[in-house]
Amino acid sequence: MKNNSHKSRRIFLNKGVKATLLTALGSLGLVKVASKINANSSEGSGDMVELMTTDGTLIQIDSTEVQAMPSAHTDEVAYNVREGMPNRKFVMVVDLAKCKNALKCQQSCNKHHYITGENAWLKVYEMQETKDTAPYWLPSMCMHCDKPACVTVCPVDATFKRRDGLVLIDNDRCIGCRFCMAACPYSTRVFNWSEPKQEFTLNMDMINHHPSPEHGGMPSQIGTVDKCDFCPHQIVKNELPHCVTACPNGVFYFGDKYEDTVTNGEETLRFSQLLKDKSGYRMMEGLGTEPNVYYLPPTDRLVEFEEGLEFYNEFQSVESPEE
Amino acid sequence: MAAIETLVKDLGPKKFSLRGKIWTVLLVAVIVAGIIAYIDQLIQGQQVTNMRDYALWGIYISNFVFFVATSFVGSVTVAILRLTKNSWRTPFVRIAEIIAVASIIMAGITIMIDMARPDRLLNLFVHARLQSPITWDVIIIPTYIVISLLLLYFPLLPDLAILKNHFKKTKPKLSKIYGRLSLNWSGSTIQKKLQSRAIHIICILIIPVGLLLQTVDAWLFSTTYRVGWDSTNFAPYFISGAFVAGVGSLVAVIYVVRKVKRLEHYITEYHFDKMGKFLALACFIYIYFNINEYLIPAFTSKKAESIHLETLFSGDYAFPFWLVTIVGLIIPALILLFKAGRKPKTMFVLSLLVVLGSWWKRYIIVTPTLLHPFLPIQGVPESWRTYFPSLHEWLITGATLAMALLIITFLVRHLPVIPIQRTADEQKDDKLKTAEV
Ligand code: SF4
Ligand code: SF4
Ligand code: SF4
């Protein structure tokens, strides 16, 4: 067992190294050049191509020696679900100034994760720090902490942290001790106290689906925990998480910290610049959990707080399936 | 050997009286009810409890912590009584060890009852991760069970041999069992030497293991960020609490055993007086840590902590909090200071108060903290904001307690609760001493 995983890791590493090499070559512009030359298919030498090496010096090569390489991007690199996607680091930015509790995010998340319990993974809190500060709406989901308390306390590694930043749950392994729920300071985890009533919602979609931590709630299992998974099943399709696309007000920005970009589907912004400009912060920074969800403060608000009250339901976050 | 015969008659196993039988049947009935409730919990899931996403732990965990605390009595009596060679401890030590065995076994069972997927129990070993306090529990609890059993067993050997001889004619079958268990004890010097060395090693082992057990238990809570748990004071606080729970239950059990088995001659008021002082000491140490845990933070605490303390001091949990603190701790401690307060009957009542108090105390450690998370409780049914155990939880709780009592009853019924050989030796010593004088 151990040996095996070791081996697959090896293979995986090998692949990774190759992929990086390919990318490096790609950046030399070889691919482009090669296709040009192939089209000409000139046999005779003397047709020199000018290329730039990685250290920036220009060189000349005979065109016949240039060969096309398969692009690293077309070759989809398979990754281990427990290790995560290589060279990525997912972050979310939530702009509190724009949120007016439309709850489309929550409905979309509930729907796509087949949430049938009484506690949604994404919740929009009505917040007011003190009596004399303005109230605001606070969407909150799993923070995918870099120092996740939930992972530290899990006795069986059912909750785990990936290198792309995601904290996921292996529902086939969870023993239902609920220690992770006690440990999470953001109260984001929900428990399947009874057999999830997913028969109606799930059946059609389960055809050909292999249960994986990458798509929480599909299916949910009795006696195990669930929570926001940051929608890796969307990311692999090159799509944004459900809550991001569902929000009519563009509150959620999702992106890659390494690429330093985040997008809400309409505009794409520099992640670091955005945080600097709008003094972004993380929730309960003082605890040291190092969340990967950033908040932009609810200042210079674009919408009235009161507008959201219409949808506010203090005692419900998931619509019951009868409706 | 006439002395030993009377001792066996007084201290050895006796048939149950009618009361004993009724008591056992009652316990079994409670256990059966609990097992039915548990099977229902297995079928329906934890929804039969009143735990929900906020009150995610409830009375099961309080019971677990309570059992773990009570099992500490094994370490304490050994640490303070056996190693310091106090002669008045002889009648207590075995009962203390019986309580320790019963409660640590029940602690292990209780934590499994709380697990929502007991069918995946093996994952705890297959996928064990050392950084989780639960894994430490998985290691330390079985260790403590084994050590406690050995500590009960080794000193029993000579007594088992005595019982074997005693029942040789009247009950040959029983005699055989005792014989097997006694490992052919003959009382030879080599055997005695081996035995005393083994006991000594276990005695020394059980103290650090016991302390570790309590500490791990405290870390279950203090490794989280929760207000009210996130405390560096928690380990000593738990240890001192365990001291109280353990000694309290020891007093209660001893009182009953003494009464039922008519051991007034062996467990005298002098012994109770000593135990009373011991219990008072435990209570005062615990009060001291309570002040550290609750009162000092009240002066210095941050906002979230003040809110937590407020719920305890004057909010929703004020009544149980003060009840447990005053009736379950301070008043017994004060009464125990007076000699009249250390008479057997008073002490029995006091010890029951103390034990109940320390059990409910565990509940107050667990519940209010969970119901005061950092983010407000919103978007869930209103009933999730409070927690009170459901019928299933009460039945199962009752069953675990009954099971602990049944184990104690069984062991008390079949083993000499006071070491026969030792008492005989001590009596001989006393006679020699008086002869010398
Ligand atoms: S927010 Fe909670 S559940 Fe999510 S990673 Fe952090 S500690 Fe874990
Ligand atoms: S409930 Fe499951 S995921 Fe959470 S700590 Fe326990 S085993 Fe791990
Ligand atoms: S990222 Fe996905 S799982 Fe998380 S709240 Fe959004 S939709 Fe739900």
Side-chain angles (χ1 to χ4, degrees), chain B residues 136-169:
Chain B
W136 310 339
D137 258 336
V138 169
I139 297 168
I140 199 103
I141 290 179
T143 314
Y144 197 73
I145 291 181
V146 170
I147 296 185
S148 303
L149 276 172
L150 289 182
L151 192 58
L152 179 63
Y153 185 53
F154 283 161
L156 259 175
L157 290 173
D159 288 358
L160 289 170
I162 292 175
L163 290 179
K164 175 183 124 191
N165 293 332
H166 179 73
F167 286 117
K168 211 166 217 159
K169 284 187 199 114

mmCIF file of all heavy atoms in Angstrom, chain B residues 136-169:
data_model
loop_
_atom_site.group_PDB
_atom_site.id
_atom_site.type_symbol
_atom_site.label_atom_id
_atom_site.label_comp_id
_atom_site.label_asym_id
_atom_site.label_seq_id
_atom_site.Cartn_x
_atom_site.Cartn_y
_atom_site.Cartn_z
ATOM 1 N N TRP B 136 -4.229 10.174 20.486
ATOM 2 C CA TRP B 136 -3.556 9.998 21.777
ATOM 3 C C TRP B 136 -4.477 9.262 22.728
ATOM 4 O O TRP B 136 -4.035 8.415 23.504
ATOM 5 C CB TRP B 136 -3.151 11.350 22.379
ATOM 6 C CG TRP B 136 -2.418 12.231 21.422
ATOM 7 C CD1 TRP B 136 -1.752 11.825 20.297
ATOM 8 C CD2 TRP B 136 -2.296 13.646 21.470
ATOM 9 N NE1 TRP B 136 -1.230 12.919 19.666
ATOM 10 C CE2 TRP B 136 -1.544 14.036 20.353
ATOM 11 C CE3 TRP B 136 -2.749 14.621 22.365
ATOM 12 C CZ2 TRP B 136 -1.240 15.370 20.098
ATOM 13 C CZ3 TRP B 136 -2.437 15.934 22.119
ATOM 14 C CH2 TRP B 136 -1.679 16.305 20.992
ATOM 15 N N ASP B 137 -5.769 9.592 22.677
ATOM 16 C CA ASP B 137 -6.738 8.886 23.506
ATOM 17 C C ASP B 137 -6.788 7.409 23.147
ATOM 18 O O ASP B 137 -6.864 6.550 24.013
ATOM 19 C CB ASP B 137 -8.137 9.496 23.324
ATOM 20 C CG ASP B 137 -8.506 10.395 24.489
ATOM 21 O OD1 ASP B 137 -7.943 10.199 25.576
ATOM 22 O OD2 ASP B 137 -9.352 11.285 24.309
ATOM 23 N N VAL B 138 -6.757 7.143 21.839
ATOM 24 C CA VAL B 138 -6.819 5.759 21.376
ATOM 25 C C VAL B 138 -5.628 4.978 21.922
ATOM 26 O O VAL B 138 -5.716 3.789 22.194
ATOM 27 C CB VAL B 138 -6.835 5.714 19.837
ATOM 28 C CG1 VAL B 138 -6.639 4.300 19.335
ATOM 29 C CG2 VAL B 138 -8.129 6.290 19.312
ATOM 30 N N ILE B 139 -4.512 5.648 22.114
ATOM 31 C CA ILE B 139 -3.346 4.961 22.656
ATOM 32 C C ILE B 139 -3.427 4.867 24.176
ATOM 33 O O ILE B 139 -3.208 3.811 24.763
ATOM 34 C CB ILE B 139 -2.052 5.707 22.254
ATOM 35 C CG1 ILE B 139 -1.900 5.694 20.735
ATOM 36 C CG2 ILE B 139 -0.842 5.092 22.935
ATOM 37 C CD1 ILE B 139 -0.841 6.625 20.229
ATOM 38 N N ILE B 140 -3.798 5.972 24.794
ATOM 39 C CA ILE B 140 -3.646 6.024 26.246
ATOM 40 C C ILE B 140 -4.760 5.276 26.988
ATOM 41 O O ILE B 140 -4.514 4.692 28.041
ATOM 42 C CB ILE B 140 -3.532 7.493 26.724
ATOM 43 C CG1 ILE B 140 -2.915 7.567 28.105
ATOM 44 C CG2 ILE B 140 -4.869 8.185 26.732
ATOM 45 C CD1 ILE B 140 -1.503 7.976 28.094
ATOM 46 N N ILE B 141 -5.969 5.270 26.432
ATOM 47 C CA ILE B 141 -7.060 4.620 27.174
ATOM 48 C C ILE B 141 -6.844 3.110 27.293
ATOM 49 O O ILE B 141 -6.908 2.559 28.393
ATOM 50 C CB ILE B 141 -8.436 4.972 26.569
ATOM 51 C CG1 ILE B 141 -8.741 6.443 26.856
ATOM 52 C CG2 ILE B 141 -9.542 4.097 27.159
ATOM 53 C CD1 ILE B 141 -10.054 6.922 26.301
ATOM 54 N N PRO B 142 -6.556 2.407 26.192
ATOM 55 C CA PRO B 142 -6.279 0.973 26.354
ATOM 56 C C PRO B 142 -5.091 0.713 27.272
ATOM 57 O O PRO B 142 -5.114 -0.232 28.067
ATOM 58 C CB PRO B 142 -5.968 0.505 24.931
ATOM 59 C CG PRO B 142 -6.652 1.490 24.065
ATOM 60 C CD PRO B 142 -6.572 2.795 24.781
ATOM 61 N N THR B 143 -4.083 1.578 27.202
ATOM 62 C CA THR B 143 -2.945 1.410 28.097
ATOM 63 C C THR B 143 -3.400 1.482 29.541
ATOM 64 O O THR B 143 -3.030 0.659 30.385
ATOM 65 C CB THR B 143 -1.903 2.524 27.852
ATOM 66 O OG1 THR B 143 -1.703 2.656 26.468
ATOM 67 C CG2 THR B 143 -0.596 2.209 28.537
ATOM 68 N N TYR B 144 -4.224 2.475 29.814
ATOM 69 C CA TYR B 144 -4.694 2.652 31.189
ATOM 70 C C TYR B 144 -5.568 1.481 31.613
ATOM 71 O O TYR B 144 -5.509 1.049 32.763
ATOM 72 C CB TYR B 144 -5.451 3.978 31.304
ATOM 73 C CG TYR B 144 -5.625 4.447 32.728
ATOM 74 C CD1 TYR B 144 -4.551 4.955 33.443
ATOM 75 C CD2 TYR B 144 -6.860 4.379 33.355
ATOM 76 C CE1 TYR B 144 -4.703 5.376 34.746
ATOM 77 C CE2 TYR B 144 -7.023 4.801 34.671
ATOM 78 C CZ TYR B 144 -5.941 5.301 35.362
ATOM 79 O OH TYR B 144 -6.089 5.719 36.654
ATOM 80 N N ILE B 145 -6.370 0.972 30.683
ATOM 81 C CA ILE B 145 -7.200 -0.189 31.013
ATOM 82 C C ILE B 145 -6.311 -1.358 31.432
ATOM 83 O O ILE B 145 -6.521 -1.994 32.469
ATOM 84 C CB ILE B 145 -8.090 -0.592 29.814
ATOM 85 C CG1 ILE B 145 -9.156 0.479 29.569
ATOM 86 C CG2 ILE B 145 -8.767 -1.940 30.075
ATOM 87 C CD1 ILE B 145 -10.106 0.172 28.425
ATOM 88 N N VAL B 146 -5.288 -1.617 30.640
ATOM 89 C CA VAL B 146 -4.408 -2.751 30.934
ATOM 90 C C VAL B 146 -3.704 -2.555 32.269
ATOM 91 O O VAL B 146 -3.699 -3.445 33.129
ATOM 92 C CB VAL B 146 -3.365 -2.927 29.800
ATOM 93 C CG1 VAL B 146 -2.309 -3.934 30.213
ATOM 94 C CG2 VAL B 146 -4.053 -3.365 28.519
ATOM 95 N N ILE B 147 -3.170 -1.380 32.466
ATOM 96 C CA ILE B 147 -2.445 -1.140 33.718
ATOM 97 C C ILE B 147 -3.380 -1.257 34.916
ATOM 98 O O ILE B 147 -3.030 -1.868 35.939
ATOM 99 C CB ILE B 147 -1.769 0.251 33.689
ATOM 100 C CG1 ILE B 147 -0.718 0.282 32.584
ATOM 101 C CG2 ILE B 147 -1.110 0.549 35.016
ATOM 102 C CD1 ILE B 147 0.067 1.561 32.553
ATOM 103 N N SER B 148 -4.583 -0.702 34.786
ATOM 104 C CA SER B 148 -5.525 -0.776 35.905
ATOM 105 C C SER B 148 -5.891 -2.214 36.207
ATOM 106 O O SER B 148 -5.989 -2.615 37.375
ATOM 107 C CB SER B 148 -6.810 -0.006 35.593
ATOM 108 O OG SER B 148 -6.522 1.308 35.279
ATOM 109 N N LEU B 149 -6.108 -3.005 35.141
ATOM 110 C CA LEU B 149 -6.452 -4.407 35.357
ATOM 111 C C LEU B 149 -5.324 -5.134 36.071
ATOM 112 O O LEU B 149 -5.557 -5.889 37.019
ATOM 113 C CB LEU B 149 -6.760 -5.090 34.021
ATOM 114 C CG LEU B 149 -8.184 -4.909 33.500
ATOM 115 C CD1 LEU B 149 -8.308 -5.471 32.092
ATOM 116 C CD2 LEU B 149 -9.189 -5.585 34.432
ATOM 117 N N LEU B 150 -4.110 -4.892 35.629
ATOM 118 C CA LEU B 150 -2.972 -5.557 36.263
ATOM 119 C C LEU B 150 -2.843 -5.136 37.716
ATOM 120 O O LEU B 150 -2.560 -5.950 38.599
ATOM 121 C CB LEU B 150 -1.676 -5.224 35.511
ATOM 122 C CG LEU B 150 -1.534 -5.852 34.135
ATOM 123 C CD1 LEU B 150 -0.200 -5.475 33.520
ATOM 124 C CD2 LEU B 150 -1.656 -7.373 34.232
ATOM 125 N N LEU B 151 -3.106 -3.857 37.929
ATOM 126 C CA LEU B 151 -2.972 -3.358 39.289
ATOM 127 C C LEU B 151 -4.041 -3.958 40.199
ATOM 128 O O LEU B 151 -3.853 -4.109 41.405
ATOM 129 C CB LEU B 151 -3.091 -1.832 39.290
ATOM 130 C CG LEU B 151 -2.687 -1.159 40.585
ATOM 131 C CD1 LEU B 151 -1.256 -1.510 40.920
ATOM 132 C CD2 LEU B 151 -2.842 0.333 40.483
ATOM 133 N N LEU B 152 -5.161 -4.283 39.619
ATOM 134 C CA LEU B 152 -6.189 -4.960 40.400
ATOM 135 C C LEU B 152 -5.800 -6.421 40.606
ATOM 136 O O LEU B 152 -6.013 -7.003 41.671
ATOM 137 C CB LEU B 152 -7.529 -4.878 39.659
ATOM 138 C CG LEU B 152 -8.730 -5.551 40.302
ATOM 139 C CD1 LEU B 152 -9.043 -4.889 41.629
ATOM 140 C CD2 LEU B 152 -9.946 -5.482 39.400
ATOM 141 N N TYR B 153 -5.195 -6.988 39.588
ATOM 142 C CA TYR B 153 -4.980 -8.436 39.540
ATOM 143 C C TYR B 153 -3.797 -8.900 40.403
ATOM 144 O O TYR B 153 -3.938 -9.817 41.207
ATOM 145 C CB TYR B 153 -4.789 -8.846 38.089
ATOM 146 C CG TYR B 153 -4.665 -10.327 37.875
ATOM 147 C CD1 TYR B 153 -5.621 -11.206 38.377
ATOM 148 C CD2 TYR B 153 -3.598 -10.847 37.164
ATOM 149 C CE1 TYR B 153 -5.505 -12.563 38.177
ATOM 150 C CE2 TYR B 153 -3.477 -12.205 36.954
ATOM 151 C CZ TYR B 153 -4.429 -13.064 37.463
ATOM 152 O OH TYR B 153 -4.322 -14.399 37.263
ATOM 153 N N PHE B 154 -2.671 -8.294 40.226
ATOM 154 C CA PHE B 154 -1.476 -8.787 40.919
ATOM 155 C C PHE B 154 -1.638 -8.852 42.435
ATOM 156 O O PHE B 154 -1.346 -9.888 43.047
ATOM 157 C CB PHE B 154 -0.239 -7.962 40.537
ATOM 158 C CG PHE B 154 0.299 -8.308 39.183
ATOM 159 C CD1 PHE B 154 1.135 -7.443 38.504
ATOM 160 C CD2 PHE B 154 -0.011 -9.517 38.582
ATOM 161 C CE1 PHE B 154 1.632 -7.771 37.251
ATOM 162 C CE2 PHE B 154 0.476 -9.851 37.341
ATOM 163 C CZ PHE B 154 1.299 -8.975 36.668
ATOM 164 N N PRO B 155 -2.132 -7.795 43.058
ATOM 165 C CA PRO B 155 -2.275 -7.893 44.514
ATOM 166 C C PRO B 155 -3.315 -8.920 44.920
ATOM 167 O O PRO B 155 -3.359 -9.339 46.074
ATOM 168 C CB PRO B 155 -2.724 -6.486 44.920
ATOM 169 C CG PRO B 155 -2.336 -5.608 43.796
ATOM 170 C CD PRO B 155 -2.451 -6.455 42.572
ATOM 171 N N LEU B 156 -4.154 -9.336 43.970
ATOM 172 C CA LEU B 156 -5.198 -10.306 44.281
ATOM 173 C C LEU B 156 -4.672 -11.729 44.428
ATOM 174 O O LEU B 156 -5.334 -12.578 45.022
ATOM 175 C CB LEU B 156 -6.241 -10.300 43.157
ATOM 176 C CG LEU B 156 -7.543 -9.547 43.378
ATOM 177 C CD1 LEU B 156 -8.348 -9.586 42.106
ATOM 178 C CD2 LEU B 156 -8.329 -10.151 44.516
ATOM 179 N N LEU B 157 -3.508 -11.984 43.826
ATOM 180 C CA LEU B 157 -3.049 -13.373 43.710
ATOM 181 C C LEU B 157 -3.121 -14.159 45.018
ATOM 182 O O LEU B 157 -3.719 -15.239 45.058
ATOM 183 C CB LEU B 157 -1.637 -13.414 43.118
ATOM 184 C CG LEU B 157 -1.559 -13.009 41.639
ATOM 185 C CD1 LEU B 157 -0.115 -12.920 41.191
ATOM 186 C CD2 LEU B 157 -2.331 -13.996 40.783
ATOM 187 N N PRO B 158 -2.540 -13.648 46.121
ATOM 188 C CA PRO B 158 -2.582 -14.438 47.356
ATOM 189 C C PRO B 158 -4.012 -14.693 47.810
ATOM 190 O O PRO B 158 -4.342 -15.796 48.255
ATOM 191 C CB PRO B 158 -1.850 -13.568 48.382
ATOM 192 C CG PRO B 158 -1.239 -12.453 47.635
ATOM 193 C CD PRO B 158 -1.819 -12.382 46.274
ATOM 194 N N ASP B 159 -4.859 -13.666 47.655
ATOM 195 C CA ASP B 159 -6.250 -13.831 48.082
ATOM 196 C C ASP B 159 -6.962 -14.880 47.248
ATOM 197 O O ASP B 159 -7.771 -15.652 47.763
ATOM 198 C CB ASP B 159 -6.990 -12.496 47.958
ATOM 199 C CG ASP B 159 -6.540 -11.516 49.030
ATOM 200 O OD1 ASP B 159 -5.700 -11.919 49.856
ATOM 201 O OD2 ASP B 159 -7.019 -10.375 49.031
ATOM 202 N N LEU B 160 -6.663 -14.909 45.975
ATOM 203 C CA LEU B 160 -7.285 -15.911 45.116
ATOM 204 C C LEU B 160 -6.884 -17.308 45.564
ATOM 205 O O LEU B 160 -7.709 -18.230 45.581
ATOM 206 C CB LEU B 160 -6.887 -15.676 43.653
ATOM 207 C CG LEU B 160 -7.509 -14.434 43.007
ATOM 208 C CD1 LEU B 160 -6.871 -14.158 41.656
ATOM 209 C CD2 LEU B 160 -9.010 -14.606 42.862
ATOM 210 N N ALA B 161 -5.632 -17.446 45.948
ATOM 211 C CA ALA B 161 -5.180 -18.753 46.424
ATOM 212 C C ALA B 161 -5.905 -19.136 47.704
ATOM 213 O O ALA B 161 -6.321 -20.289 47.888
ATOM 214 C CB ALA B 161 -3.664 -18.717 46.653
ATOM 215 N N ILE B 162 -6.084 -18.149 48.570
ATOM 216 C CA ILE B 162 -6.817 -18.421 49.817
ATOM 217 C C ILE B 162 -8.234 -18.885 49.493
ATOM 218 O O ILE B 162 -8.741 -19.861 50.049
ATOM 219 C CB ILE B 162 -6.862 -17.149 50.691
ATOM 220 C CG1 ILE B 162 -5.457 -16.833 51.204
ATOM 221 C CG2 ILE B 162 -7.822 -17.341 51.861
ATOM 222 C CD1 ILE B 162 -5.381 -15.537 51.976
ATOM 223 N N LEU B 163 -8.866 -18.178 48.546
ATOM 224 C CA LEU B 163 -10.239 -18.528 48.187
ATOM 225 C C LEU B 163 -10.305 -19.915 47.572
ATOM 226 O O LEU B 163 -11.258 -20.660 47.776
ATOM 227 C CB LEU B 163 -10.811 -17.493 47.223
ATOM 228 C CG LEU B 163 -11.076 -16.116 47.832
ATOM 229 C CD1 LEU B 163 -11.610 -15.173 46.776
ATOM 230 C CD2 LEU B 163 -12.052 -16.221 48.993
ATOM 231 N N LYS B 164 -9.272 -20.247 46.807
ATOM 232 C CA LYS B 164 -9.251 -21.574 46.193
ATOM 233 C C LYS B 164 -9.317 -22.659 47.274
ATOM 234 O O LYS B 164 -10.133 -23.584 47.211
ATOM 235 C CB LYS B 164 -7.965 -21.730 45.373
ATOM 236 C CG LYS B 164 -7.772 -23.097 44.776
ATOM 237 C CD LYS B 164 -6.442 -23.164 44.058
ATOM 238 C CE LYS B 164 -5.619 -24.305 44.608
ATOM 239 N NZ LYS B 164 -4.234 -24.279 44.145
ATOM 240 N N ASN B 165 -8.480 -22.481 48.276
ATOM 241 C CA ASN B 165 -8.483 -23.458 49.363
ATOM 242 C C ASN B 165 -9.802 -23.447 50.124
ATOM 243 O O ASN B 165 -10.328 -24.484 50.497
ATOM 244 C CB ASN B 165 -7.336 -23.163 50.328
ATOM 245 C CG ASN B 165 -6.001 -23.399 49.657
ATOM 246 O OD1 ASN B 165 -5.916 -24.226 48.739
ATOM 247 N ND2 ASN B 165 -4.976 -22.677 50.078
ATOM 248 N N HIS B 166 -10.317 -22.239 50.288
ATOM 249 C CA HIS B 166 -11.522 -22.095 51.082
ATOM 250 C C HIS B 166 -12.706 -22.831 50.448
ATOM 251 O O HIS B 166 -13.507 -23.450 51.126
ATOM 252 C CB HIS B 166 -11.841 -20.606 51.221
ATOM 253 C CG HIS B 166 -13.083 -20.335 52.004
ATOM 254 N ND1 HIS B 166 -13.144 -20.485 53.373
ATOM 255 C CD2 HIS B 166 -14.323 -19.938 51.628
ATOM 256 C CE1 HIS B 166 -14.347 -20.188 53.799
ATOM 257 N NE2 HIS B 166 -15.096 -19.851 52.764
ATOM 258 N N PHE B 167 -12.801 -22.747 49.125
ATOM 259 C CA PHE B 167 -13.959 -23.337 48.451
ATOM 260 C C PHE B 167 -13.711 -24.765 47.968
ATOM 261 O O PHE B 167 -14.523 -25.317 47.242
ATOM 262 C CB PHE B 167 -14.372 -22.461 47.258
ATOM 263 C CG PHE B 167 -15.045 -21.196 47.679
ATOM 264 C CD1 PHE B 167 -14.485 -19.964 47.399
ATOM 265 C CD2 PHE B 167 -16.253 -21.231 48.357
ATOM 266 C CE1 PHE B 167 -15.102 -18.784 47.774
ATOM 267 C CE2 PHE B 167 -16.880 -20.070 48.746
ATOM 268 C CZ PHE B 167 -16.306 -18.833 48.457
ATOM 269 N N LYS B 168 -12.562 -25.327 48.335
ATOM 270 C CA LYS B 168 -12.180 -26.619 47.785
ATOM 271 C C LYS B 168 -13.278 -27.660 47.962
ATOM 272 O O LYS B 168 -13.623 -28.401 47.038
ATOM 273 C CB LYS B 168 -10.893 -27.107 48.443
ATOM 274 C CG LYS B 168 -10.061 -27.946 47.487
ATOM 275 C CD LYS B 168 -8.662 -28.136 48.015
ATOM 276 C CE LYS B 168 -7.671 -28.113 46.873
ATOM 277 N NZ LYS B 168 -6.323 -27.810 47.342
ATOM 278 N N LYS B 169 -13.823 -27.694 49.167
ATOM 279 C CA LYS B 169 -14.808 -28.746 49.423
ATOM 280 C C LYS B 169 -16.217 -28.327 49.059
ATOM 281 O O LYS B 169 -16.952 -29.067 48.422
ATOM 282 C CB LYS B 169 -14.744 -29.136 50.907
ATOM 283 C CG LYS B 169 -13.521 -29.982 51.152
ATOM 284 C CD LYS B 169 -13.482 -30.547 52.552
ATOM 285 C CE LYS B 169 -12.054 -30.960 52.840
ATOM 286 N NZ LYS B 169 -11.448 -30.140 53.900
#
